[in-house]
Amino acid sequence: MAIKFYQITLSSLFVGTSILWASGKDSTLTQKIREHSNKVQVDFETNDRAAFTGETVDLQLGERGVKVAARIPHLEQYPCTNCHGAENRPTLTTNQDRRSHWQIEKTHPTPGDAECILCHQSNDDMGLHSLAGENIEFDHSYEICAQCHSGQFKDWKIGAHGKRLSGWAVERVIQNCTGCHNPHHPKFKQKQPAAHTIITPIRK
Amino acid sequence: MLQTLKKLFKKPAKEPSIPNNKFSLNVDRRRALKSLITGGVAGAALAKTSCSTGIDAKTAEVAALNWEEYFKGNYRVMSREERSETVERLEKLHQLKKGTNISVSSAEPVKDVLYGYAFNVSKCKGYMDCVKACVAENNQDRKTDMQYIRIFEVKNGDNVLEHGNSQIAHDVPVPGYHYMGTQCFQCENPPCVDVCPVGATWKEDDGIVVIDYDWCIGCRYCEAACPYWARRFNWSEPEVPAAELNENQHYLGNRPRKQGVMEKCTYCIQRTRTGQNPACVEACPTGARIFGNLLDPESEIRQVLAEKKVFRLKEDLGTEPKFWYFMD
């Protein structure tokens, strides 16, 4: 049967007002966030455990400064004089049970045996350097990874990659890539889950 | 006759706090019941003790504390003094019954804070360090393996969690599969709050949906209402080994529960209200979990919501969960 005129007007009125009503609406959560956002730092009694207590290094990443956990205090094999004497290399003065440098599992950036001097300097310091030859400190080792992994670097700056070491309410402290990734074998390994779940038989 | 009747039903000059208070007594229903039953029990006890040996001081104190606890009201409408009184009683009861000290906090929500959570699906490898940390932090029942967090192992290309396996008993990650974790999402429109018949669960000002374990009657209606299966029920008395008990507790969080009450993830309310991150966020070795204040425009959670493509589960239900998923 033919559609009547009044049916068309009523339905178009209904649809029209619904669209107009819905288009201006944020979800209630979005509205709440928009209305109540403020830049004032929350000021309340925080727990001692919320703050990061290790050494940090101040970095300027773009327009925002951020604290990064210092890496050098955690390096056992740096500087070289820790194991080798001041004058004599490669003779070891301490720690004879340690593996040699060529026994380190290296799968990055190329699978198999990767070139050490791609990231390490070949001088006495064995410090880090960029592909352009600029000196990089161990506390700033992210600069090496950022040369190829710009996507991850961008995410790391905003907090979408990596882990925050301090609580949500205290000053943000993040870590260099090497805080989670072994620079010679960065991929996370397969292992047993830390917790178990109750295994119930599946009823088919 | 009419005069006496009029006097009886005349409204007293000063408006009492109790409506329809025909007898001008300053007592409400709870206090009246308490007095009546106290009298009844005192009478029975008097009769009993007159023919049996006396009870020791410790049992008497436990009984007295339990008595006060039984007649307390809903935590949500308690005043600050009543709240600190009840947490003190709980601490004392634990001391008397178990011999160790705990600290139960009644910390209020932090002002201008709305907690948000983000989960990176590309990063989760199914290691379940979050589950282990959550169980330890929140004093969950070890006997029934109570876990708030569920990690699903889903085949790549499939986006339906129900097709995934949440009972992982092999090395992870398995190539060709991705991992997604669920827990209570602290909805902004929580259906569990709407259906509770006694008002034992509610949303706090900082966005966390909490449960008063002493008000919950265990009807499990909230468990039915939750679209994400986030609520857990204690079918038996929860058991936590004394050595593994977390002593830093919150009344609405990880204090020991009892048989017959509901519980769920509270974003580690005992930690987050003091500025720490939840235990799962801190435990994750891959950095897949991000937590922060949604009302701080420079927080990590806000930056993730702004820069990454995020989604929530069952968006069509309008529950507005404060837990987003994203990929690298």
Side-chain angles (χ1 to χ4, degrees), chain A residues 9-48:
Chain A
T9 27
L10 278 176
S11 36
S12 47
L13 264 174
F14 174 71
V15 170
T17 44
S18 315
I19 290 172
L20 280 172
W21 174 83
S23 60
K25 280 243 186 246
D26 274 332
S27 74
T28 49
L29 177 59
T30 316
Q31 261 181 324
K32 191 170 179 176
I33 295 175
R34 267 197 233 280
E35 277 163 30
H36 294 104
S37 283
N38 54 67
K39 281 192 168 56
V40 178
Q41 267 298 93
V42 286
D43 180 28
F44 66 102
E45 187 100 11
T46 57
N47 206 325
D48 289 335

mmCIF file of all heavy atoms in Angstrom, chain A residues 9-48:
data_model
loop_
_atom_site.group_PDB
_atom_site.id
_atom_site.type_symbol
_atom_site.label_atom_id
_atom_site.label_comp_id
_atom_site.label_asym_id
_atom_site.label_seq_id
_atom_site.Cartn_x
_atom_site.Cartn_y
_atom_site.Cartn_z
ATOM 1 N N THR A 9 6.236 12.449 7.308
ATOM 2 C CA THR A 9 6.615 13.609 8.135
ATOM 3 C C THR A 9 6.938 13.162 9.545
ATOM 4 O O THR A 9 7.953 13.571 10.129
ATOM 5 C CB THR A 9 5.478 14.658 8.214
ATOM 6 O OG1 THR A 9 4.221 14.017 8.037
ATOM 7 C CG2 THR A 9 5.672 15.766 7.220
ATOM 8 N N LEU A 10 6.090 12.313 10.121
ATOM 9 C CA LEU A 10 6.318 11.894 11.505
ATOM 10 C C LEU A 10 7.631 11.145 11.657
ATOM 11 O O LEU A 10 8.418 11.408 12.577
ATOM 12 C CB LEU A 10 5.158 11.028 11.990
ATOM 13 C CG LEU A 10 3.911 11.799 12.474
ATOM 14 C CD1 LEU A 10 2.807 10.837 12.833
ATOM 15 C CD2 LEU A 10 4.262 12.668 13.665
ATOM 16 N N SER A 11 7.887 10.191 10.736
ATOM 17 C CA SER A 11 9.117 9.398 10.876
ATOM 18 C C SER A 11 10.353 10.257 10.643
ATOM 19 O O SER A 11 11.357 10.112 11.325
ATOM 20 C CB SER A 11 9.116 8.191 9.947
ATOM 21 O OG SER A 11 8.493 8.500 8.729
ATOM 22 N N SER A 12 10.280 11.197 9.685
ATOM 23 C CA SER A 12 11.466 12.033 9.450
ATOM 24 C C SER A 12 11.694 12.984 10.614
ATOM 25 O O SER A 12 12.825 13.259 10.996
ATOM 26 C CB SER A 12 11.361 12.812 8.133
ATOM 27 O OG SER A 12 10.117 13.430 8.018
ATOM 28 N N LEU A 13 10.614 13.443 11.233
ATOM 29 C CA LEU A 13 10.750 14.290 12.423
ATOM 30 C C LEU A 13 11.449 13.515 13.529
ATOM 31 O O LEU A 13 12.385 13.987 14.175
ATOM 32 C CB LEU A 13 9.369 14.736 12.916
ATOM 33 C CG LEU A 13 8.860 16.118 12.448
ATOM 34 C CD1 LEU A 13 7.438 16.327 12.912
ATOM 35 C CD2 LEU A 13 9.763 17.213 12.983
ATOM 36 N N PHE A 14 10.982 12.280 13.731
ATOM 37 C CA PHE A 14 11.547 11.432 14.779
ATOM 38 C C PHE A 14 13.033 11.170 14.536
ATOM 39 O O PHE A 14 13.872 11.353 15.415
ATOM 40 C CB PHE A 14 10.766 10.108 14.848
ATOM 41 C CG PHE A 14 11.355 9.113 15.806
ATOM 42 C CD1 PHE A 14 11.267 9.315 17.177
ATOM 43 C CD2 PHE A 14 12.031 7.990 15.345
ATOM 44 C CE1 PHE A 14 11.825 8.407 18.061
ATOM 45 C CE2 PHE A 14 12.588 7.089 16.217
ATOM 46 C CZ PHE A 14 12.485 7.293 17.571
ATOM 47 N N VAL A 15 13.341 10.741 13.309
ATOM 48 C CA VAL A 15 14.736 10.418 12.995
ATOM 49 C C VAL A 15 15.603 11.670 13.111
ATOM 50 O O VAL A 15 16.699 11.645 13.648
ATOM 51 C CB VAL A 15 14.823 9.797 11.576
ATOM 52 C CG1 VAL A 15 16.261 9.685 11.131
ATOM 53 C CG2 VAL A 15 14.162 8.433 11.569
ATOM 54 N N GLY A 16 15.063 12.779 12.582
ATOM 55 C CA GLY A 16 15.822 14.033 12.612
ATOM 56 C C GLY A 16 16.175 14.466 14.018
ATOM 57 O O GLY A 16 17.324 14.777 14.327
ATOM 58 N N THR A 17 15.169 14.453 14.907
ATOM 59 C CA THR A 17 15.431 14.903 16.277
ATOM 60 C C THR A 17 16.370 13.932 16.999
ATOM 61 O O THR A 17 17.206 14.351 17.792
ATOM 62 C CB THR A 17 14.131 15.044 17.080
ATOM 63 O OG1 THR A 17 13.298 13.909 16.841
ATOM 64 C CG2 THR A 17 13.388 16.310 16.699
ATOM 65 N N SER A 18 16.236 12.629 16.697
ATOM 66 C CA SER A 18 17.133 11.654 17.342
ATOM 67 C C SER A 18 18.573 11.910 16.943
ATOM 68 O O SER A 18 19.467 11.884 17.768
ATOM 69 C CB SER A 18 16.761 10.229 16.943
ATOM 70 O OG SER A 18 15.389 10.050 17.008
ATOM 71 N N ILE A 19 18.770 12.174 15.655
ATOM 72 C CA ILE A 19 20.150 12.408 15.186
ATOM 73 C C ILE A 19 20.695 13.688 15.808
ATOM 74 O O ILE A 19 21.825 13.733 16.285
ATOM 75 C CB ILE A 19 20.198 12.495 13.634
ATOM 76 C CG1 ILE A 19 19.927 11.104 13.034
ATOM 77 C CG2 ILE A 19 21.546 13.010 13.172
ATOM 78 C CD1 ILE A 19 19.772 11.116 11.538
ATOM 79 N N LEU A 20 19.857 14.719 15.828
ATOM 80 C CA LEU A 20 20.315 15.981 16.411
ATOM 81 C C LEU A 20 20.634 15.814 17.891
ATOM 82 O O LEU A 20 21.629 16.306 18.396
ATOM 83 C CB LEU A 20 19.224 17.055 16.244
ATOM 84 C CG LEU A 20 19.161 17.703 14.866
ATOM 85 C CD1 LEU A 20 17.942 18.587 14.762
ATOM 86 C CD2 LEU A 20 20.422 18.513 14.609
ATOM 87 N N TRP A 21 19.789 15.055 18.588
ATOM 88 C CA TRP A 21 19.996 14.830 20.018
ATOM 89 C C TRP A 21 21.268 14.030 20.261
ATOM 90 O O TRP A 21 22.077 14.357 21.106
ATOM 91 C CB TRP A 21 18.781 14.096 20.601
ATOM 92 C CG TRP A 21 18.913 13.678 22.019
ATOM 93 C CD1 TRP A 21 18.687 14.444 23.115
ATOM 94 C CD2 TRP A 21 19.316 12.386 22.508
ATOM 95 N NE1 TRP A 21 18.906 13.723 24.258
ATOM 96 C CE2 TRP A 21 19.292 12.446 23.913
ATOM 97 C CE3 TRP A 21 19.670 11.187 21.891
ATOM 98 C CZ2 TRP A 21 19.622 11.365 24.720
ATOM 99 C CZ3 TRP A 21 19.998 10.099 22.699
ATOM 100 C CH2 TRP A 21 19.973 10.209 24.095
ATOM 101 N N ALA A 22 21.465 12.965 19.469
ATOM 102 C CA ALA A 22 22.592 12.067 19.717
ATOM 103 C C ALA A 22 23.925 12.684 19.308
ATOM 104 O O ALA A 22 24.948 12.431 19.919
ATOM 105 C CB ALA A 22 22.379 10.759 18.972
ATOM 106 N N SER A 23 23.902 13.520 18.240
ATOM 107 C CA SER A 23 25.185 13.999 17.717
ATOM 108 C C SER A 23 25.890 14.926 18.690
ATOM 109 O O SER A 23 27.097 14.975 18.737
ATOM 110 C CB SER A 23 24.984 14.707 16.383
ATOM 111 O OG SER A 23 24.125 15.811 16.585
ATOM 112 N N GLY A 24 25.132 15.663 19.488
ATOM 113 C CA GLY A 24 25.795 16.584 20.411
ATOM 114 C C GLY A 24 26.195 15.934 21.719
ATOM 115 O O GLY A 24 26.766 16.569 22.585
ATOM 116 N N LYS A 25 25.906 14.649 21.856
ATOM 117 C CA LYS A 25 26.089 14.007 23.160
ATOM 118 C C LYS A 25 27.415 13.270 23.249
ATOM 119 O O LYS A 25 27.721 12.423 22.437
ATOM 120 C CB LYS A 25 24.969 12.984 23.388
ATOM 121 C CG LYS A 25 23.698 13.620 23.846
ATOM 122 C CD LYS A 25 23.382 13.111 25.233
ATOM 123 C CE LYS A 25 22.038 13.604 25.690
ATOM 124 N NZ LYS A 25 22.105 14.509 26.794
ATOM 125 N N ASP A 26 28.142 13.593 24.293
ATOM 126 C CA ASP A 26 29.282 12.757 24.665
ATOM 127 C C ASP A 26 28.765 11.680 25.587
ATOM 128 O O ASP A 26 27.722 11.831 26.185
ATOM 129 C CB ASP A 26 30.293 13.600 25.445
ATOM 130 C CG ASP A 26 31.250 14.324 24.528
ATOM 131 O OD1 ASP A 26 31.495 13.810 23.435
ATOM 132 O OD2 ASP A 26 31.731 15.391 24.918
ATOM 133 N N SER A 27 29.531 10.627 25.747
ATOM 134 C CA SER A 27 29.133 9.649 26.761
ATOM 135 C C SER A 27 29.293 10.328 28.120
ATOM 136 O O SER A 27 30.039 11.287 28.257
ATOM 137 C CB SER A 27 30.040 8.429 26.664
ATOM 138 O OG SER A 27 31.312 8.731 27.178
ATOM 139 N N THR A 28 28.607 9.812 29.106
ATOM 140 C CA THR A 28 28.657 10.451 30.423
ATOM 141 C C THR A 28 30.068 10.454 30.986
ATOM 142 O O THR A 28 30.473 11.396 31.650
ATOM 143 C CB THR A 28 27.727 9.737 31.418
ATOM 144 O OG1 THR A 28 27.972 8.334 31.345
ATOM 145 C CG2 THR A 28 26.276 10.022 31.097
ATOM 146 N N LEU A 29 30.831 9.410 30.680
ATOM 147 C CA LEU A 29 32.195 9.343 31.204
ATOM 148 C C LEU A 29 33.052 10.415 30.552
ATOM 149 O O LEU A 29 33.802 11.130 31.211
ATOM 150 C CB LEU A 29 32.773 7.944 30.963
ATOM 151 C CG LEU A 29 34.217 7.734 31.395
ATOM 152 C CD1 LEU A 29 34.380 7.995 32.872
ATOM 153 C CD2 LEU A 29 34.674 6.327 31.072
ATOM 154 N N THR A 30 32.921 10.542 29.210
ATOM 155 C CA THR A 30 33.710 11.556 28.501
ATOM 156 C C THR A 30 33.351 12.951 29.000
ATOM 157 O O THR A 30 34.223 13.800 29.199
ATOM 158 C CB THR A 30 33.454 11.475 26.989
ATOM 159 O OG1 THR A 30 33.463 10.109 26.624
ATOM 160 C CG2 THR A 30 34.503 12.216 26.202
ATOM 161 N N GLN A 31 32.055 13.186 29.219
ATOM 162 C CA GLN A 31 31.615 14.488 29.729
ATOM 163 C C GLN A 31 32.260 14.777 31.072
ATOM 164 O O GLN A 31 32.763 15.869 31.322
ATOM 165 C CB GLN A 31 30.096 14.470 29.923
ATOM 166 C CG GLN A 31 29.333 15.096 28.806
ATOM 167 C CD GLN A 31 27.838 15.063 29.069
ATOM 168 O OE1 GLN A 31 27.308 14.124 29.634
ATOM 169 N NE2 GLN A 31 27.159 16.108 28.675
ATOM 170 N N LYS A 32 32.232 13.747 31.924
ATOM 171 C CA LYS A 32 32.779 13.908 33.273
ATOM 172 C C LYS A 32 34.256 14.254 33.198
ATOM 173 O O LYS A 32 34.746 15.142 33.907
ATOM 174 C CB LYS A 32 32.588 12.596 34.035
ATOM 175 C CG LYS A 32 32.862 12.671 35.506
ATOM 176 C CD LYS A 32 32.397 11.386 36.149
ATOM 177 C CE LYS A 32 32.652 11.358 37.623
ATOM 178 N NZ LYS A 32 32.123 10.150 38.254
ATOM 179 N N ILE A 33 34.990 13.544 32.315
ATOM 180 C CA ILE A 33 36.429 13.798 32.197
ATOM 181 C C ILE A 33 36.667 15.198 31.663
ATOM 182 O O ILE A 33 37.521 15.933 32.144
ATOM 183 C CB ILE A 33 37.092 12.736 31.293
ATOM 184 C CG1 ILE A 33 37.004 11.362 31.950
ATOM 185 C CG2 ILE A 33 38.537 13.091 31.030
ATOM 186 C CD1 ILE A 33 37.519 10.236 31.085
ATOM 187 N N ARG A 34 35.870 15.600 30.680
ATOM 188 C CA ARG A 34 36.054 16.936 30.115
ATOM 189 C C ARG A 34 35.819 18.024 31.152
ATOM 190 O O ARG A 34 36.543 18.998 31.245
ATOM 191 C CB ARG A 34 35.085 17.140 28.951
ATOM 192 C CG ARG A 34 35.653 16.802 27.608
ATOM 193 C CD ARG A 34 34.810 17.422 26.510
ATOM 194 N NE ARG A 34 34.402 16.432 25.524
ATOM 195 C CZ ARG A 34 35.177 15.994 24.533
ATOM 196 N NH1 ARG A 34 36.380 16.456 24.382
ATOM 197 N NH2 ARG A 34 34.737 15.093 23.686
ATOM 198 N N GLU A 35 34.746 17.823 31.938
ATOM 199 C CA GLU A 35 34.363 18.892 32.865
ATOM 200 C C GLU A 35 35.305 19.003 34.053
ATOM 201 O O GLU A 35 35.532 20.078 34.574
ATOM 202 C CB GLU A 35 32.938 18.644 33.387
ATOM 203 C CG GLU A 35 31.851 19.125 32.465
ATOM 204 C CD GLU A 35 30.502 18.513 32.804
ATOM 205 O OE1 GLU A 35 30.275 18.205 33.988
ATOM 206 O OE2 GLU A 35 29.685 18.331 31.878
ATOM 207 N N HIS A 36 35.822 17.859 34.507
ATOM 208 C CA HIS A 36 36.559 17.871 35.763
ATOM 209 C C HIS A 36 38.064 17.761 35.626
ATOM 210 O O HIS A 36 38.760 17.663 36.617
ATOM 211 C CB HIS A 36 36.040 16.759 36.677
ATOM 212 C CG HIS A 36 34.636 16.982 37.102
ATOM 213 N ND1 HIS A 36 33.575 16.280 36.568
ATOM 214 C CD2 HIS A 36 34.091 17.852 37.961
ATOM 215 C CE1 HIS A 36 32.452 16.700 37.103
ATOM 216 N NE2 HIS A 36 32.728 17.657 37.953
ATOM 217 N N SER A 37 38.581 17.758 34.395
ATOM 218 C CA SER A 37 40.025 17.664 34.249
ATOM 219 C C SER A 37 40.684 18.923 34.768
ATOM 220 O O SER A 37 40.200 20.024 34.548
ATOM 221 C CB SER A 37 40.398 17.511 32.778
ATOM 222 O OG SER A 37 40.150 16.211 32.362
ATOM 223 N N ASN A 38 41.774 18.747 35.460
ATOM 224 C CA ASN A 38 42.509 19.926 35.909
ATOM 225 C C ASN A 38 43.980 19.586 35.987
ATOM 226 O O ASN A 38 44.368 18.453 36.188
ATOM 227 C CB ASN A 38 42.003 20.390 37.275
ATOM 228 C CG ASN A 38 42.036 19.258 38.265
ATOM 229 O OD1 ASN A 38 43.101 18.773 38.654
ATOM 230 N ND2 ASN A 38 40.890 18.790 38.679
ATOM 231 N N LYS A 39 44.793 20.586 35.820
ATOM 232 C CA LYS A 39 46.237 20.355 35.775
ATOM 233 C C LYS A 39 46.869 20.389 37.149
ATOM 234 O O LYS A 39 48.049 20.206 37.298
ATOM 235 C CB LYS A 39 46.901 21.429 34.893
ATOM 236 C CG LYS A 39 46.756 21.156 33.427
ATOM 237 C CD LYS A 39 47.665 22.067 32.633
ATOM 238 C CE LYS A 39 47.794 21.678 31.176
ATOM 239 N NZ LYS A 39 46.550 21.583 30.440
ATOM 240 N N VAL A 40 46.075 20.641 38.178
ATOM 241 C CA VAL A 40 46.642 20.730 39.522
ATOM 242 C C VAL A 40 47.070 19.341 39.977
ATOM 243 O O VAL A 40 46.328 18.388 39.858
ATOM 244 C CB VAL A 40 45.595 21.312 40.498
ATOM 245 C CG1 VAL A 40 46.161 21.366 41.900
ATOM 246 C CG2 VAL A 40 45.162 22.684 40.037
ATOM 247 N N GLN A 41 48.273 19.247 40.485
ATOM 248 C CA GLN A 41 48.766 17.965 40.974
ATOM 249 C C GLN A 41 47.989 17.569 42.223
ATOM 250 O O GLN A 41 47.738 18.398 43.083
ATOM 251 C CB GLN A 41 50.259 18.070 41.324
ATOM 252 C CG GLN A 41 51.194 17.685 40.206
ATOM 253 C CD GLN A 41 51.049 16.244 39.765
ATOM 254 O OE1 GLN A 41 50.311 15.928 38.849
ATOM 255 N NE2 GLN A 41 51.743 15.355 40.424
ATOM 256 N N VAL A 42 47.631 16.285 42.317
ATOM 257 C CA VAL A 42 46.902 15.835 43.502
ATOM 258 C C VAL A 42 47.821 15.939 44.719
ATOM 259 O O VAL A 42 49.001 15.602 44.653
ATOM 260 C CB VAL A 42 46.396 14.394 43.342
ATOM 261 C CG1 VAL A 42 45.220 14.356 42.399
ATOM 262 C CG2 VAL A 42 47.480 13.485 42.864
ATOM 263 N N ASP A 43 47.281 16.466 45.800
ATOM 264 C CA ASP A 43 48.087 16.754 46.967
ATOM 265 C C ASP A 43 47.527 15.990 48.155
ATOM 266 O O ASP A 43 46.570 16.426 48.777
ATOM 267 C CB ASP A 43 48.060 18.276 47.217
ATOM 268 C CG ASP A 43 48.896 18.648 48.421
ATOM 269 O OD1 ASP A 43 49.853 17.914 48.708
ATOM 270 O OD2 ASP A 43 48.572 19.652 49.066
ATOM 271 N N PHE A 44 48.080 14.817 48.433
ATOM 272 C CA PHE A 44 47.610 14.053 49.577
ATOM 273 C C PHE A 44 48.750 13.201 50.086
ATOM 274 O O PHE A 44 49.814 13.133 49.492
ATOM 275 C CB PHE A 44 46.399 13.184 49.192
ATOM 276 C CG PHE A 44 46.709 12.094 48.197
ATOM 277 C CD1 PHE A 44 46.868 10.778 48.591
ATOM 278 C CD2 PHE A 44 46.856 12.389 46.851
ATOM 279 C CE1 PHE A 44 47.163 9.783 47.667
ATOM 280 C CE2 PHE A 44 47.139 11.396 45.933
ATOM 281 C CZ PHE A 44 47.287 10.093 46.340
ATOM 282 N N GLU A 45 48.490 12.555 51.207
ATOM 283 C CA GLU A 45 49.534 11.763 51.856
ATOM 284 C C GLU A 45 49.780 10.481 51.056
ATOM 285 O O GLU A 45 48.921 9.612 50.971
ATOM 286 C CB GLU A 45 49.023 11.374 53.260
ATOM 287 C CG GLU A 45 50.036 10.698 54.124
ATOM 288 C CD GLU A 45 50.673 11.641 55.126
ATOM 289 O OE1 GLU A 45 50.170 12.764 55.274
ATOM 290 O OE2 GLU A 45 51.643 11.240 55.744
ATOM 291 N N THR A 46 50.950 10.388 50.443
ATOM 292 C CA THR A 46 51.244 9.167 49.681
ATOM 293 C C THR A 46 52.108 8.234 50.506
ATOM 294 O O THR A 46 52.798 8.632 51.422
ATOM 295 C CB THR A 46 51.967 9.484 48.363
ATOM 296 O OG1 THR A 46 53.159 10.202 48.676
ATOM 297 C CG2 THR A 46 51.107 10.301 47.448
ATOM 298 N N ASN A 47 52.054 6.981 50.105
ATOM 299 C CA ASN A 47 52.781 5.915 50.754
ATOM 300 C C ASN A 47 54.272 6.024 50.429
ATOM 301 O O ASN A 47 54.625 6.463 49.352
ATOM 302 C CB ASN A 47 52.246 4.624 50.140
ATOM 303 C CG ASN A 47 52.398 3.463 51.059
ATOM 304 O OD1 ASN A 47 53.360 3.381 51.786
ATOM 305 N ND2 ASN A 47 51.434 2.568 50.999
ATOM 306 N N ASP A 48 55.118 5.591 51.356
ATOM 307 C CA ASP A 48 56.551 5.564 51.055
ATOM 308 C C ASP A 48 56.850 4.678 49.867
ATOM 309 O O ASP A 48 57.753 4.930 49.095
ATOM 310 C CB ASP A 48 57.326 5.009 52.268
ATOM 311 C CG ASP A 48 57.319 6.009 53.405
ATOM 312 O OD1 ASP A 48 57.171 7.205 53.113
ATOM 313 O OD2 ASP A 48 57.453 5.590 54.560
#
